[in-house]
Amino acid sequence: MESQFVSNVRKAAEDSFASGLYCAESVVLALANAQGVESDLLPRIATGFCSGMGRTCGTCGAVSGAIMGISLALGRSEADESVQPSYTAVNRLIREFGQAFGARDCHVLLGCDIATPEGKSMFREKGLSKRCTEFTGKAAEIAARIIYELNEDAGSATTP
């Protein structure tokens, strides 16, 4: 069951990216929908995180979208609730993503700064959107696996 859940989330994220949504938007949307959450707000809240935090050379948007998806599943809604489940999952996500790609910042992953004309040109010429598809799929996959495992370990009635 886990592998089907994980592969469905990865495919949904990659399909959203291929349809024109960006990395963070695609990942949070795929993770939220897999958890039964649907809202027009989902991609909107992620837009500023795309392209390395709005093309500022920050964290890859796929990682940011995955963090939002993890927080949706494991975050808190009351001040007296623990942040630890979410923080533990986010730490694992970042560690595994970094192991897979050697970095987590957009400009390092791509080898260019997409906020500059030179970087935009390199992005197009080298077909780096294919790399972004890979980052998007992998971030969604890692987050989906973490969510699934933690919900299963907790015996949650809301296991995806």
Side-chain angles (χ1 to χ4, degrees):
M1 176 108 163
E2 173 194 335
S3 64
Q4 188 65 42
F5 174 74
V6 171
S7 64
N8 287 347
V9 170
R10 181 177 184 137
K11 182 173 178 357
E14 291 172 345
D15 288 349
S16 288
F17 189 81
S19 78
L21 288 178
Y22 285 0
C23 45
E25 298 162 339
S26 297
V27 175
V28 74
L29 188 61
L31 288 164
N33 288 344
Q35 295 173 65
V37 177
E38 294 187 26
S39 171
D40 293 342
L41 297 175
L42 288 167
R44 295 174 63 117
I45 63 169
T47 300
F49 293 92
C50 296
S51 305
M53 304 275 183
R55 296 186 181 146
T56 63
C57 295
T59 300
C60 171
V63 173
S64 297
I67 291 170
M68 286 185 267
I70 285 172
S71 294
L72 186 60
L74 303 170
R76 64 189 191 148
S77 54
E78 301 290 331
D80 62 346
E81 295 176 318
S82 176
V83 298
Q84 202 55 51
S86 183
Y87 284 13
T88 298
V90 167
N91 278 276
R92 181 176 160 194
L93 165 75
I94 290 171
R95 183 177 62 252
E96 290 183 21
F97 188 89
Q99 288 169 344
F101 299 111
R104 68 175 181 230
D105 287 341
C106 183
H107 71 291
V108 177
L109 291 163
L110 293 175
C112 64
D113 177 356
I114 57 176
T116 67
E118 300 82 20
K120 287 177 188 173
S121 194
M122 178 188 271
F123 184 85
R124 280 191 305 277
E125 289 168 11
K126 291 191 173 188
L128 294 176
S129 67
K130 292 178 187 130
R131 292 285 292 158
C132 292
T133 301
E134 187 179 353
F135 303 143
T136 297
K138 188 65 170 180
E141 174 188 310
I142 294 168
R145 185 175 302 108
I146 292 168
I147 292 166
Y148 186 90
E149 290 172 4
L150 292 177
N151 280 333
E152 190 170 82
D153 287 348
S156 174
T158 60
T159 299

